[in-house]
Amino acid sequence: MHPVAVQVYLTLLAVAAFLSTSANADTSTNDINALHFFYNSTDGYNWTWQGSGAQWVFNATADPCLDDWQGITCANCFYNSSVCNVTEIRLDNYNLRGVLSASLCDIANLTNISVASNALTSSVPPCLFSSLLKLNYLTLRHNSLNGTLQISPTETSFALQHLDLGENLLSGTLPSALGDYPALTFLSLSTNLVSGSFPAFLNQLSNLTHLGLQDNLFSGTVPSSFFPPLQLLGSLRFGGSLLTGTIASSLCDATALYALYFYNANFTGKHW
């Protein structure tokens, strides 16, 4: 064989060997086991499948990443990696029912969890706020999640940017640790049963652009010191509550504000 042909042949063999090792990394067994537990706890047999991806099937050869499961996004499946990692779970409006399983907290590389518009009826696992150090997007909106939020500040606080818990049945008071998420830009707890005094500690979230607290059971007044630190806040919603008193003129210090809703509250005096 001509030397050039030999060189080309050897190069092609090397490329084929690289592709065979880099394109066939299996999904982490730990991730698969966690997804299996989550599937069972949310009545997976009765999910409403959508789109063109594969339905979830658990058997000896099941692989969420390589089989392109619906609602699953993965990383590290190529470039000579030995294992794929699940990084996103997006199952909005899939008819998930039952318990939001803490098994999700075993999927260490998760950056995004979105299970909105389902029928989940448990409490929110505290480990979602303590174990997932890479999580930056969490939306559990429009379910029937209940109980009091249990949040403890951890390294996770530095990653979370979007938290939507609206339209559930959450109750009790908000933990002050919710103010310890410096990267948060979007926070919604609208349409729940949260009570107690107005959570003024949320003004520690200086990167907030949206804050939705409407249609809850907050009482008391909104302190004038609440508004000045929120220089990036564009949308503020806290109507439909038991709040009283006046809206302080310091609201005008929130210069980025373009949407303000405080309907069906008992505020008095001049509205700025």
Side-chain angles (χ1 to χ4, degrees), residues 146-168:
N146 54 70
T148 302
L149 279 181
Q150 303 293 327
I151 298 175
S152 299
T154 66
E155 292 178 48
T156 310
S157 307
F158 297 103
L160 195 62
Q161 298 176 25
H162 183 109
L163 178 58
D164 191 349
L165 303 175
E167 297 181 50
N168 280 288

Side-chain angles (χ1 to χ4, degrees), residues 228-266:
L230 299 175
Q231 292 299 302
L232 301 180
L233 191 64
S235 176
L236 174 61
R237 303 162 188 255
F238 53 85
S241 68
L242 304 176
L243 294 169
T244 58
T246 60
I247 300 295
S249 60
S250 59
L251 173 62
C252 298
D253 295 332
T255 55
L257 198 65
Y258 64 85
L260 175 63
Y261 300 86
F262 49 89
Y263 55 86
N264 294 339
N266 296 312

